[in-house]
Amino acid sequence: MSETAEKEAPIRAATRPQVPGRVIFNALKDTDKPQEYYNDIKQKFAEARDLRLSYRPDGRAQYTSELEGELAKYEIDPYAEANVDRAAITDTVEVLLIGGGFSALLTAARLRERGVESIRIVERGSDVGGTWYWNRYPGAACDVSAYDYMPLLDEMGYVPGHFYAKGPEIFAHCQAIARKYNLYDLAVFQTTVTSTVWDAKTKLWTVSTDRGDKMTAQFVICANGTLSKPKLSKIDGMETFEGHSFHTSRFDYKYCGTDLSNLKDKVVGIIGTGASAVQIIPRVGRAAKELYVFQRTPSAIDIRDDTPTDPEWAASLQPGWQEERLAKHMKGPQISEEDKAALAALPRDEKIRRQENQNIEHMMRIHRRVEEIVKDSKTAEALKPWYMHRCKRPCYDDEYLPAFNLPNVHLVDTDGKGVTQIGPRGVIFEGREYPVDVLIYATGFEVQVTGIYNDIRGENGLELNEKYADGMRTVFGIHSAGYPNLFIMGGYQASFQFNLTFMLRTQGAHIAECIKYVRERNCATIDASPETEQWWVDEVIRHRGRTNRNKECTPGYYNFEGEENRRQDGNYNGGFYQYFLHMEEVRKDMEKHFRFA
Ligand code: NDP
């Protein structure tokens, strides 16, 4: 770290974009190259997408997250010290949270502030932390500024050590939140919820688990994470591999060594080049004898430029600083009346053209960065992403691209095809075998629609996915009529935020307000009114599909792997601030929007 960079830290911490993924393409500005230049690149984007889709037209079915039988080992918790034996639980709590990650912690904190005492977290791992419990792979860190991503900083009296927080710091923060709000008292770990069934007589949910528990709760909050169930690409012969293998979210330090030193005489293969792989590859590349990276689609790698938090800046922060920062961010960039009028006067096609051209300029800057860093020109070419910004999750990393200059790190570019065959010794691609000692699957996670491990049955015994058979039906992605006192966090029909904790805290505060209302109203249940549910479904539909963006993007989990999707089965795209305002409006007239009993 240069002296200059350190000196810059206080100014930059305050003024750097809070969320780097939020590159703004301003339709009031035009680009300066001839339109043919942009059209040619768009054509190349389309060709790359078509090629990738031609190999895997099966969309989401190309993956499996049913990790049973031979595949069960990919889900085993490597961090649990021992499988704690305990008696089955049959008691009743007021609020039960399925999952112990940020969704649960944030909501529980808000519930505590509103006087709720009886709160139980039921968690599959052996501690709280969710994503940050599971994803302990080398280099795990967050791509959103720590001052915005790490929640409850004011409440916890904590200022992160760097602009970007690393996994262990965030995990420790989760544990500190659980301690501060006494969430360990009733928590049960190493426990997976198997069903959540409403009892209309007692007006309670019965939550059954793989430990034989039959717990009851007045309110249930599905806080099981957006991307929490590991998935594997279905690859012929993967079960015949005789070496060692694991998924990134179950990183095997027993095998690799805590400092990865056991890898020094090992040949490692890694399948996938998404955000997890981007952070792992430089570390494993430095430690392993050889590393083969099997790439299907390259990630876009932008500058990270992490800086330590300046102690003077940290000391100058006033109470409420994080809240203020987030509130500013929520409203987004303010535009003048004059600019608003100019934008309104611009034809829609022209707006799209200008924004797309700027997007292409941005991606070409990403290409130039690859060329400047990666010495081997063939490798550099293969690492260039051919799609628009935000078709896939953008990455921010200063070590990934240089890793390909190491003599022991080899990129095996499959040019959109992906790995389709694994044998006893390793990956086989286009007739060549790549023998490896260990294979790391960096193939991502199933996207949550509702409580994914869970069979949720509401009034009339209808399972939630059956209700959704003709399309999702919720209010804010949180409530679904016929499922009283049930709240879902992080699923579809909610607003999407690159800074996910920001979205989750908004949902958590809303849920806490709903529960408070039920308590103060002296009734037992709250359920969405069918009319409000219809309004929200319409609202989600109204804001989806305004452009061809999803169709034109290369496949990935952002666009359902290229599958056609019902318009209502996705995120609410009307903007985060609007999502927040809608919630406020609904809460002003609870009797109209909810049924109470
Ligand atoms: P992703 O779903 O993003 O990536 C999966 C990768 O596996 C893709 O590169 C995919 O290629 C590849 N793949 C799948 N099947 C094959 C195959 N048969 N052969 C070769 N490659 C294959 O998962 P990640 O775990 O990387 O990330 C998930 C999300 O978690 C991120 O999008 C982000 O939201 C979050 N995250 C955030 C981090 C951060 O803040 N820094 C770090 C890590 C994760 P293709 O692209 O062609 O489908």
Side-chain angles (χ1 to χ4, degrees), residues 396-552:
Y396 301 85
D397 202 285
D398 297 335
E399 294 180 63
Y400 178 70
L401 294 172
F404 291 95
N405 293 332
L406 295 174
N408 63 323
V409 176
H410 317 282
L411 181 71
V412 183
D413 178 37
T414 67
D415 196 15
K417 191 171 191 181
V419 173
T420 54
Q421 199 187 350
I422 293 175
R425 282 155 47 89
V427 170
I428 301 158
F429 182 69
E430 293 191 335
R432 177 173 166 193
E433 186 186 55
Y434 296 84
V436 293
D437 297 299
V438 52
L439 252 185
I440 305 175
Y441 289 95
T443 46
F445 301 87
E446 184 181 303
V447 180
Q448 190 216 161
V449 173
T450 137
I452 35 187
Y453 323 120
N454 192 353
D455 185 68
I456 302 171
R457 294 187 184 268
E459 285 173 350
N460 313 321
L462 188 67
E463 203 265 319
L464 192 52
N465 286 304
E466 283 170 26
K467 171 174 170 177
Y468 292 167
D470 294 324
M472 277 189 74
R473 301 191 62 77
T474 76
V475 179
F476 305 139
I478 296 176
H479 316 261
S480 196
Y483 298 79
N485 291 1
L486 182 88
F487 305 92
I488 299 161
M489 300 184 73
Y492 284 145
Q493 291 203 348
S495 173
F496 174 79
Q497 276 293 292
F498 198 77
N499 182 4
L500 190 65
T501 58
F502 196 16
M503 216 285 287
L504 297 175
R505 76 198 271 287
T506 308
Q507 291 194 330
H510 171 80
I511 294 167
E513 276 301 301
C514 289
I515 291 176
K516 178 173 167 241
Y517 191 88
V518 174
R519 290 175 123 223
E520 286 173 354
R521 199 183 180 279
N522 250 333
C523 59
T525 63
I526 175 172
D527 194 8
S529 86
E531 295 76 27
T532 300
E533 186 174 274
Q534 188 59 49
W535 160 74
W536 187 249
V537 170
D538 292 342
E539 193 63 9
V540 171
I541 292 173
R542 196 162 72 83
H543 286 98
R544 286 187 66 82
R546 280 195 185 163
T547 67
N548 287 329
R549 188 70 196 277
N550 256 4
K551 269 193 194 153
E552 289 175 0

Side-chain angles (χ1 to χ4, degrees), residues 99-321:
F102 272 135
S103 303
L105 298 171
L106 280 162
T107 311
R110 296 297 174 230
L111 286 166
R112 286 280 194 247
E113 287 161 6
R114 287 160 179 80
V116 179
E117 281 170 15
S118 166
I119 300 177
R120 166 168 291 146
I121 284 174
V122 182
E123 163 61 53
R124 184 172 234 217
S126 62
D127 204 336
V128 296
T131 287
W132 302 102
Y133 172 87
W134 295 108
N135 289 282
R136 302 192 201 183
Y137 58 75
C142 186
D143 279 357
V144 176
S145 116
Y147 319 122
D148 302 296
Y149 178 79
M150 289 178 74
L152 304 175
L153 291 178
D154 276 316
E155 291 85 340
M156 301 298 295
Y158 182 69
V159 181
H162 279 74
F163 188 81
Y164 293 112
K166 296 196 171 55
E169 184 184 12
I170 308 174
F171 180 33
H173 187 64
C174 292
Q175 293 170 312
I177 293 172
R179 282 195 299 273
K180 179 178 163 96
Y181 291 95
N182 299 325
L183 300 174
Y184 281 117
D185 295 355
L186 285 178
V188 283
F189 295 109
Q190 299 183 319
T191 304
T192 301
V193 172
T194 50
S195 71
T196 305
V197 180
W198 178 245
D199 182 338
K201 273 202 208 106
T202 58
K203 295 197 172 26
L204 292 174
W205 288 99
T206 300
V207 177
S208 305
T209 75
D210 62 349
R211 296 294 206 102
D213 305 307
K214 287 241 177 292
M215 313 170 196
T216 45
Q218 186 184 358
F219 301 99
V220 169
I221 303 171
C222 294
N224 41 257
T226 306
L227 298 166
S228 53
K229 197 159 169 43
K231 67 177 166 47
L232 295 170
S233 174
K234 293 177 190 160
I235 301 173
D236 280 349
M238 60 194 291
E239 66 292 345
T240 67
F241 179 59
E242 287 170 0
H244 193 65
S245 58
F246 55 86
H247 186 271
T248 52
S249 66
R250 305 289 188 275
F251 201 88
D252 193 345
Y253 284 103
K254 278 200 186 100
Y255 179 90
C256 301
T258 41
D259 57 357
L260 306 183
S261 57
N262 297 352
L263 296 179
K264 68 177 181 302
D265 56 357
K266 299 278 189 291
V267 180
V268 183
I270 183 159
I271 299 180
T273 49
S276 300
V278 162
Q279 295 183 325
I280 294 172
I281 284 163
R283 277 97 198 162
V284 169
R286 288 195 288 266
K289 184 175 156 205
E290 302 286 337
L291 171 63
Y292 289 92
V293 176
F294 297 94
Q295 172 183 271
R296 184 163 69 181
T297 311
S299 278
I301 316 289
D302 212 336
I303 300 163
R304 185 170 194 81
D305 193 16
D306 197 6
T307 45
T309 300
D310 180 85
E312 268 177 52
W313 176 73
S316 74
L317 295 169
Q318 298 300 311
W321 69 273

Side-chain angles (χ1 to χ4, degrees), residues 27-139:
L28 290 178
K29 286 194 192 141
D30 206 355
T31 42
D32 53 7
K33 297 190 182 66
Q35 190 55 37
E36 293 73 53
Y37 166 84
Y38 301 104
N39 293 347
D40 286 352
I41 293 172
K42 257 190 100 173
Q43 181 57 30
K44 283 191 81 168
F45 287 178
E47 285 162 12
R49 177 207 56 217
D50 291 348
L51 184 70
R52 162 74 173 75
L53 266 176
S54 70
Y55 292 127
R56 287 282 194 167
D58 46 347
R60 281 176 279 194
Q62 71 182 283
Y63 289 104
T64 180
S65 54
E66 296 305 319
L67 303 182
E68 286 156 4
E70 287 280 323
L71 302 183
K73 64 176 180 178
Y74 293 108
E75 228 175 351
I76 292 173
D77 181 355
Y79 316 117
E81 275 165 21
N83 203 342
V84 179
D85 215 16
R86 63 163 176 80
I89 299 171
T90 53
D91 63 1
T92 302
V93 293
E94 185 172 356
V95 179
L96 186 146
L97 294 130
I98 303 174
F102 272 135
S103 303
L105 298 171
L106 280 162
T107 311
R110 296 297 174 230
L111 286 166
R112 286 280 194 247
E113 287 161 6
R114 287 160 179 80
V116 179
E117 281 170 15
S118 166
I119 300 177
R120 166 168 291 146
I121 284 174
V122 182
E123 163 61 53
R124 184 172 234 217
S126 62
D127 204 336
V128 296
T131 287
W132 302 102
Y133 172 87
W134 295 108
N135 289 282
R136 302 192 201 183
Y137 58 75

